[in-house]
Amino acid sequence: MKYWRKPLDFGDVKVPHGEVRILVERCKGCGFCVEYCPKDVLVMSEEFNKKGYHPPKVVKAGECVNCNLCEMICPDFAIFSVAVSDGDAAGAAGSSPEAAGADPRPPERELRRA
Amino acid sequence: MSTPAEHPEVLPEEHPVAPYIRTDRMPHIWCPTCGIGTVVKCFATALAESGLDLNKVSVVSGIGCTGRVAGYMKLDGFHTTHGRAIPFATGLKLGRPELLVTVFSGDGDLVGIGGNHFIHAARRNMDLLVILVNNFIYGMTGGQNAATTPLTAKTSTMPYGNFERAFNLPQLAASCGATYVARWTCLHIRRLTKAFGEALKRRGFRFIEVITPCATLYARLNKLGSGLDLMRFYHDNAEIRHGADTREVGIAFQDRIVCGKFVDEEQPSFLEMMHEHYRKTLGSKYVPTPPEGGWLHE
């Protein structure tokens, strides 16, 4: 981030880091999360899910600040972010975007629990 | 009031509102870019933050797209007949006064078909939280003209444009005696969540109108683009004016939308007035419903 002057509390404030999780099969491709992500972490992917919609994918995994806006605005309960500690964030930034954006759990597991 | 322990733990791999919605019914039937899911998410978040006992919260819905909410939330719920969500909720509240009764329904259901029930529940100051999801049209039945369709908007029954005057819902609710009146769009997610949290703590007739996009019918028939375009429109044209005069917050077609909290006051609710009146007139003969529940509790 670029600052026109260094904030006085620069040393105290810690920018939180988050990791976006996408439940691909629930997504209906409305694009709200892509439009309103303040850090432009997401883009619409070219791939289809089972229902034929384009889910979003993570392109700037390290830039997520865990603001939860995507989670709040998603009408399909299909995306959320979890906080990661700084050590993990460095790892997430280094990993491939596909790995960070992929559905962390198989859909069968979700059905079984419900 | 319950302890937060009664709110189920959310696993880190699970969506944070998973304990509040029926995940086995997902994906839901609402169209892509419909905003009702966002409203449900905001309500679930407000419930989670409030720390209320979920066994004491119920959702009553009527018919329509928004009528599905009672089925999708993992709370006790009624899916009632068309327009009759408020009468069912009134009965529920009178029979089980310890419950927090929420009415979650659409504009066509609550003020179109059930308009009479709406104004009388507001007049009585019945202890209900009424969340009205307004998409300006009858969505599920095919885009007919609703009581909230703004002038000149096209609907499937008014293909040359609507010439009926529309309801100004905050004014309707406030003039009938609602004690909490607010309007937000489903783009104002944080403020909407805050309003839900605030209204959950109040008593009396609380009314929150939420403007949501209907991409499949309202936007298509009026050539307004997708639901995302309507969200952009709300971003540019929503105007926050807390405490605004409700006579001036009517919505014209593709015009500014005044949002905010318009009314917030304390008034004795129906149950309080009933208890007080009977205590005064009947004295010791009057046995009020115990606070932990009515006879249905046995």
Side-chain angles (χ1 to χ4, degrees):
Chain A
M1 197 182 222
K2 263 172 90 174
Y3 298 99
W4 60 273
R5 75 164 171 80
K6 202 173 167 188
L8 294 174
D9 56 355
F10 189 77
D12 310 332
V13 176
K14 270 182 85 179
V15 179
H17 285 289
E19 192 187 316
V20 181
R21 308 271 170 90
I22 302 165
L23 309 177
V24 176
E25 298 309 332
R26 273 194 208 167
C27 179
K28 289 182 187 156
C30 66
F32 287 180
C33 53
V34 176
E35 171 86 10
Y36 290 106
C37 176
K39 290 286 187 182
D40 295 327
V41 169
L42 302 160
V43 292
M44 297 308 281
S45 72
E46 295 293 309
E47 287 140 34
F48 295 98
N49 65 8
K50 264 186 205 159
K51 300 249 177 194
Y53 296 112
H54 294 289
K57 69 174 180 189
V58 179
V59 283
K60 298 180 196 164
E63 291 201 16
C64 176
V65 291
N66 197 28
C67 69
N68 281 332
L69 198 88
C70 53
E71 176 197 316
M72 292 295 290
I73 210 159
C74 176
D76 295 278
F77 315 107
I79 188 169
F80 61 101
S81 64
V82 287
V84 287
S85 62
D86 277 344
D88 296 354
S95 66
S96 69
E98 284 77 23
D103 187 356
R105 54 179 175 169
E108 304 88 66
R109 200 179 140 207
E110 183 193 325
L111 287 172
R112 219 179 330 120
R113 183 175 295 132
Chain B
M1 273 315 131
S2 71
T3 52
E6 286 179 20
H7 279 249
E9 282 282 309
V10 185
L11 298 171
E13 298 296 306
E14 204 168 44
H15 195 283
V17 294
Y20 303 90
I21 55 167
R22 296 185 195 273
T23 43
D24 51 332
R25 301 198 179 183
M26 297 292 141
H28 51 60
I29 61 147
W30 296 315
C31 309
T33 74
C34 171
I36 300 172
T38 308
V39 185
V40 174
K41 172 76 181 62
C42 291
F43 182 64
T45 310
L47 264 185
E49 284 168 2
S50 72
L52 289 166
D53 182 357
L54 295 185
N55 293 323
K56 298 270 155 100
V57 183
S58 62
V59 179
V60 184
S61 292
I63 299 295
C65 296
T66 323
R68 291 279 177 154
V69 172
Y72 285 135
M73 291 208 77
K74 211 185 265 176
L75 299 168
D76 289 341
F78 258 135
H79 192 191
T80 69
T81 44
H82 204 349
R84 315 296 173 227
I86 286 180
F88 275 82
T90 303
L92 183 60
K93 183 68 195 175
L94 295 185
R96 297 283 302 272
E98 82 279 13
L99 293 184
L100 196 155
V101 183
T102 313
V103 177
F104 213 125
S105 208
D107 54 323
D109 186 71
L110 281 180
V111 296
I113 302 200
N116 202 25
H117 304 301
F118 179 85
I119 59 176
H120 285 286
R123 172 181 67 81
R124 293 175 178 137
N125 200 15
M126 191 58 68
D127 254 323
L128 303 173
L129 166 57
V130 178
I131 299 164
L132 188 146
V133 178
N134 184 359
N135 54 11
F136 305 116
I137 207 163
Y138 280 92
M140 191 170 267
T141 48
Q144 289 85 356
N145 210 66
T148 46
T149 309
L151 273 176
T152 72
K154 287 184 180 121
T155 57
S156 64
T157 49
M158 293 264 195
Y160 300 108
N162 175 28
F163 50 83
E164 289 177 16
R165 300 200 312 178
F167 262 140
N168 176 359
L169 294 179
Q171 190 197 2
L172 178 73
S175 60
C176 292
T179 53
Y180 184 97
V181 178
R183 177 199 274 155
W184 295 106
T185 74
C186 75
L187 182 66
H188 296 100
I189 38 179
R190 307 267 188 223
R191 290 183 174 96
L192 182 61
T193 311
K194 210 177 133 203
F196 285 151
E198 225 172 57
L200 283 170
K201 293 195 193 93
R202 299 281 196 284
R203 278 176 307 162
F205 191 86
R206 295 142 284 168
F207 172 69
I208 299 176
E209 180 188 3
V210 191
I211 312 281
T212 60
C214 174
T216 309
L217 286 156
Y218 185 72
R220 180 172 60 83
L221 294 171
N222 289 291
K223 302 198 167 40
L224 301 176
S226 68
L228 190 54
D229 292 315
L230 277 177
M231 291 289 257
R232 289 188 189 117
F233 172 79
Y234 299 155
H235 181 265
D236 297 339
N237 291 277
E239 194 181 307
I240 297 174
R241 282 203 341 239
H242 289 296
D245 188 347
T246 49
R247 284 173 295 183
E248 291 156 14
V249 301
I251 298 176
F253 182 58
Q254 291 302 90
D255 197 6
R256 87 204 149 103
I257 298 169
V258 182
C259 298
K261 183 168 78 178
F262 305 125
V263 178
D264 186 4
E265 57 187 30
E266 283 281 323
Q267 293 283 348
S269 71
F270 177 86
L271 279 170
E272 286 166 357
M273 289 186 71
M274 184 181 82
H275 289 319
E276 198 193 320
H277 178 73
Y278 280 144
R279 246 182 233 121
K280 226 184 269 172
T281 48
L282 298 177
S284 59
K285 274 191 284 180
Y286 178 57
V287 184
T289 328
E292 70 276 7
W295 55 272
L296 282 170
H297 215 65
E298 309 301 318

